[in-house]
Amino acid sequence: MKLYCALMLSFPFVVLPAPQDLTWTTEKLLIAGQRSRLPFQPQWPATQSDLIAYSMTGVIPAGIHCQLELKLQEELLLSLPCTKRYVLERPLRITPGMKLELYLHNTNLFSPGEDVIIRNRVSLEVVN
């Protein structure tokens, strides 16, 4: 009986892949009233994968509207607010042809002619 239990514990029934992170460090100079897109072409995993969450570290100053957009060619598949951590309601299947962009639009942050540098690190949690 002990041998049977030991064998059962050594072979798990279900092996769930651990999420892996795809990281993207951004730095952008914004001028008051400017709209900007920061494109990124990640090296997606070789096979199709599921995007399950993303998070950002850094500071988005007040007055800047920020969205993370995922596109397949010109079709917008996903548009999410820039938050510290966002878990998708259901995983999104990603393929090598998809593009990521950060979309920034600042409105009343500062006077025309002033500028601000935004630095962020975007981390995508993906499972195969």
Side-chain angles (χ1 to χ4, degrees):
M1 184 65 175
K2 288 182 182 178
L3 179 60
Y4 177 74
C5 290
L7 287 173
M8 292 295 286
L9 292 174
S10 64
F11 296 104
F13 292 110
V14 178
V15 177
L16 296 175
Q20 61 181 9
D21 281 349
L22 302 171
T23 57
W24 172 24
T25 302
T26 66
E27 182 171 317
K28 180 66 178 179
L29 174 69
L30 282 177
I31 300 170
Q34 180 183 27
R35 293 174 184 251
S36 183
R37 288 185 185 275
L38 286 77
F40 177 61
Q41 189 65 47
Q43 294 297 317
W44 299 118
T47 59
Q48 288 189 345
S49 303
D50 290 330
L51 174 64
I52 56 174
Y54 90 94
S55 58
M56 293 185 69
T57 57
V59 177
I60 300 290
I64 294 182
H65 174 67
C66 178
Q67 293 285 120
L68 178 76
E69 296 181 351
L70 181 64
K71 293 181 175 181
L72 179 58
Q73 295 173 358
E74 294 305 312
E75 181 183 358
L76 180 64
L77 301 177
L78 185 67
S79 181
L80 297 172
C82 295
T83 58
K84 292 297 178 188
R85 179 167 167 79
Y86 191 99
V87 179
L88 278 62
E89 290 182 14
R90 60 177 185 265
L92 178 73
R93 181 60 47 97
I94 58 174
T95 62
M98 293 180 178
K99 295 184 298 185
L100 274 173
E101 291 183 339
L102 274 181
Y103 172 72
L104 301 167
H105 176 216
N106 64 74
T107 53
N108 56 0
L109 177 63
F110 35 76
S111 303
E114 290 185 68
D115 52 56
V116 64
I117 295 177
I118 296 175
R119 292 184 181 92
N120 272 288
R121 185 175 180 88
V122 182
S123 177
L124 304 169
E125 294 176 37
V126 176
V127 292
N128 287 339

